[in-house]
């Protein structure tokens, strides 16, 4: 059976080893190529998708042998979204910095989301699947904000994704970022230990605030270079909350340059002076152990040219 066929009848798929432990929403998105995300979540909400004859939530994880019922795709709903253009495909292909049997690592450009949705037709994962139509399995192992550049891990096997998830839960994936903060600290090291809470404004915009009722969040900062009106710092995460580095930097009184959401007028002025046109936040290094690989992984991605130029300007 062709999973991407716009069928007008009910279909049944049996879960194989490659999808063991995968969420039902990701399972459907991966197999129904071109079908809008909105359709997938709508039929899940209505109970039209069944697993072993029972209704399921989008977060339900599948197991080998599960039978998944897929409802008919109505032509009006199932018109395929045009695939990613040649230009963005080329950018992502050129951004691959490492690949082996388990992992594919991207130095993600700023301005590209990691996945489609919320008005974004294609993210990194959809572009990769378009580039590698023969790949049986490609799943994001973690996420980066759309405006953040740097290292992004993609699992090529279900077993690799599970191993990465376990390592992250155990705090054994060390993530380091480079950020340009406005202002100056007397000391070279600072730790932000402030709980964070997500809020959604009436407009639908998501904003994160420091809030005692929020989730624990810890970021360690180290000054690498002092510049005119700013500091190039390395940020090491203990936790991985939404917008964590951006909010913690602002909480310390030194927002990230180029941050329109959590910055201020002084930050905007300095960014204009340095001709900075994006958020200055880059995921530059990842360290983690790996079963069967002596020494584990140490992956690095230097600052993009446009960010290094800003550093040189403010020296």
């Amino acid at each position: 059976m062709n999973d991407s066929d716009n069928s007008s009848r009910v279909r049944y798929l049996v879960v194989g080893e490659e999808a063991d432990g995968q969420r039902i929403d990701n399972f459907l998105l991966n197999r129904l190529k071109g079908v809008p995300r909105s359709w997938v979540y709508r039929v899940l909400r209505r109970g039209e998708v069944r697993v072993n004859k029972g209704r399921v939530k989008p977060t339900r994880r599948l197991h080998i042998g599960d039978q998944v019922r897929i409802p008919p795709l109505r032509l009006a709903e199932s018109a395929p979204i045009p695939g990613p253009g040649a230009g963005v495909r080329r950018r992502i292909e050129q951004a691959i910095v490492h690949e082996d049997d388990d992992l594919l690592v991207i130095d993600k450009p700023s301005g590209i989301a990691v996945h489609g949705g919320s008005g974004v037709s294609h993210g990194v994962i959809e572009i990769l699947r378009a580039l590698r139509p023969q790949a049986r399995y490609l799943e994001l192992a973690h996420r980066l904000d759309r405006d953040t550049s740097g290292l992004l891990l993609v699992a090529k096997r279900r077993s690799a994704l599970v191993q990465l998830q376990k390592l992250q839960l155990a705090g054994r994936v060390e993530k380091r970022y480079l950020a340009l903060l406005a202002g100056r600290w007397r000391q070279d090291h600072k730790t932000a230990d402030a709980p964070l809470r997500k809020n959604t404004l009436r407009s639908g915009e998501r904003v994160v605030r420091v809030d005692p009722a929020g989730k624990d969040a810890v970021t360690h900062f180290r000054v690498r270079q002092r510049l005119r009106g700013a500091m190039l710092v390395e940020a090491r995460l203990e936790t991985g909350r939404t917008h964590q580095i951006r909010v913690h930097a602002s909480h310390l009184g030194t927002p990230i340059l180029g941050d329109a959401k959590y910055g201020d007028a002084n930050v905007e002025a300095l960014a204009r002076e340095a001709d900075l046109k994006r958020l200055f936040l880059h995921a530059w290094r990842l360290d983690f152990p790996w079963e069967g690989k002596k020494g584990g992984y140490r992956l690095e991605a230097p600052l993009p040219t446009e960010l290094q130029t800003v550093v040189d300007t403010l020296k």
Side-chain angles (χ1 to χ4, degrees), residues 35-226:
V35 172
R37 294 173 67 89
S38 58
W39 182 88
V40 169
Y41 287 102
R42 182 161 60 250
V43 294
L44 280 166
R45 184 173 63 251
R46 291 174 177 172
E48 295 180 52
V49 173
R50 300 290 178 106
V51 176
N52 302 331
K53 300 183 179 180
R55 295 173 66 118
V56 291
K57 294 182 178 180
T59 53
R60 162 69 184 272
R61 295 195 180 274
L62 300 171
H63 302 287
I64 296 174
D66 282 347
Q67 187 181 68
V68 179
R69 176 195 186 272
I70 300 178
L73 305 183
R74 299 176 183 88
L75 292 177
E77 297 180 309
S78 61
I81 299 171
V88 72
R89 289 193 192 201
R90 187 163 52 251
R91 286 185 73 190
I92 294 302
E93 184 73 62
Q94 293 172 347
I96 297 173
V97 296
H98 174 86
E99 184 171 7
D100 55 32
D101 291 340
D102 292 320
L103 300 177
L104 189 152
V105 185
I106 298 287
D107 184 1
K108 186 187 82 68
S110 175
I112 298 180
V114 295
H115 58 72
S118 301
V120 178
S121 299
H122 309 288
V124 169
I125 194 63
E126 288 85 10
I127 298 167
L128 280 174
R129 288 170 181 161
L131 285 169
R132 307 287 178 85
Q134 77 286 355
R136 295 186 64 189
Y137 191 91
L138 288 172
E139 292 290 345
L140 293 166
H142 64 116
R143 284 164 168 69
L144 292 176
D145 290 345
R146 182 176 181 176
D147 295 329
T148 302
S149 58
L151 295 173
L152 181 69
L153 294 172
V154 177
K156 294 176 65 178
R157 296 177 175 175
R158 179 65 197 166
S159 58
L161 181 63
V162 170
Q163 187 174 173
L164 281 168
Q165 289 172 336
K166 289 179 178 178
L167 288 170
Q168 291 183 93
L169 285 172
R172 301 187 69 193
V173 178
E174 189 172 274
K175 300 175 182 178
R176 295 174 184 257
Y177 293 71
L178 293 175
L180 191 63
L181 308 190
R184 181 178 294 270
W185 300 329
R186 290 184 178 180
Q187 60 271 59
D188 288 337
H189 295 83
K190 268 187 180 289
T191 294
D193 185 352
L196 302 178
R197 185 173 184 177
K198 285 189 285 189
N199 300 281
T200 301
L201 305 180
R202 288 184 178 179
S203 63
E205 181 184 6
R206 184 176 58 178
V207 177
V208 179
R209 305 290 188 200
V210 171
D211 188 326
K215 295 181 178 180
D216 292 342
V218 180
T219 309
H220 301 286
F221 293 96
R222 177 175 68 88
V223 178
R224 289 177 53 133
Q225 195 172 358
R226 297 183 185 277

Side-chain angles (χ1 to χ4, degrees), residues 202-256:
R202 288 184 178 179
S203 63
E205 181 184 6
R206 184 176 58 178
V207 177
V208 179
R209 305 290 188 200
V210 171
D211 188 326
K215 295 181 178 180
D216 292 342
V218 180
T219 309
H220 301 286
F221 293 96
R222 177 175 68 88
V223 178
R224 289 177 53 133
Q225 195 172 358
R226 297 183 185 277
L227 305 167
R228 177 165 44 86
M231 306 171 290
L232 180 66
V233 306
E234 180 181 271
R236 181 170 58 85
L237 297 178
E238 273 195 29
T239 52
R241 309 302 180 199
T242 301
H243 298 172
Q244 178 174 322
I245 297 174
R246 299 167 64 182
V247 178
H248 275 170
S250 181
H251 178 65
L252 293 173
T254 49
I256 298 176

